[in-house]
Amino acid sequence: MNIGVLALQGDVREHLAALAESDVLARPVRRPEELADVDGLVIPGGESTAISKLAVSFGLLDPIRKRIADGMPVYGSCAGMIMLAGTVLDGRPDQESFHGIDMTVRRNAFGRQVDSFEASVEIDDIEGGPFHAVFIRAPWVEEIGGDVRVLGRVAEGAAAGRIVAVRQGNLLATAFHPELTGDLRVHRYFVEMVRQAVPVR
């Protein structure tokens, strides 16, 4: 089973390492032909406007949209969550996304880099207690469609109740960065999503 990490910008190396530790073959994806060889895809944290521009430049925007429409599992963290959103608030007018999850997200919802923080988040479907979540210029989800399941919310503080983890079918998104914590539970959860979606070979 091969899982790709969209390697245009952002926390690519950290996601590759987390996937490798989760016992799957992980490879960077920069070209459409590399996308064709993977069973699932991770869209890393980074800068969503840069990822959007580079996805267009590298000819990956439409191929990724098609793979999503065909049922390929995709996980997006932070900027990856923004890239999977149907609607993006506070984005650039020319910003594109992959339109995978029926949700509205707000960029930099928790504030700028100086307002980055860490918090405990309970995530439905993932055992082992609260997840130590790292938020860096993170989005949050403002609205969801009927097919979207909320998996996690901020528990305390000024942003208490804000949605920060969702799933719609084979698509998973978090506003935080599990690749930076050493806690592999989110990556292993996604690996299991891919395993269930891939036909037995």
Side-chain angles (χ1 to χ4, degrees), residues 101 125 147-151 165-173 189 193 196:
I101 299 178
D125 296 351
D147 294 331
V148 180
R149 274 202 307 134
V150 175
L151 298 183
V166 296
R167 179 174 177 180
Q168 181 177 341
N170 284 336
L171 305 177
L172 174 70
Y189 178 79
M193 286 174 55
Q196 291 177 10

Side-chain angles (χ1 to χ4, degrees), residues 33-76:
E33 55 268 30
E34 293 169 338
L35 177 68
D37 288 336
V38 300
D39 301 304
L41 183 69
V42 173
I43 306 170
E47 174 50 59
S48 62
T49 55
I51 294 171
S52 170
K53 286 181 179 179
L54 291 167
V56 173
S57 298
F58 281 74
L60 281 164
L61 185 71
D62 289 334
I64 290 175
R65 286 177 174 172
K66 184 177 187 308
R67 288 293 306 275
I68 287 172
D70 290 343
M72 177 181 68
V74 180
Y75 166 49

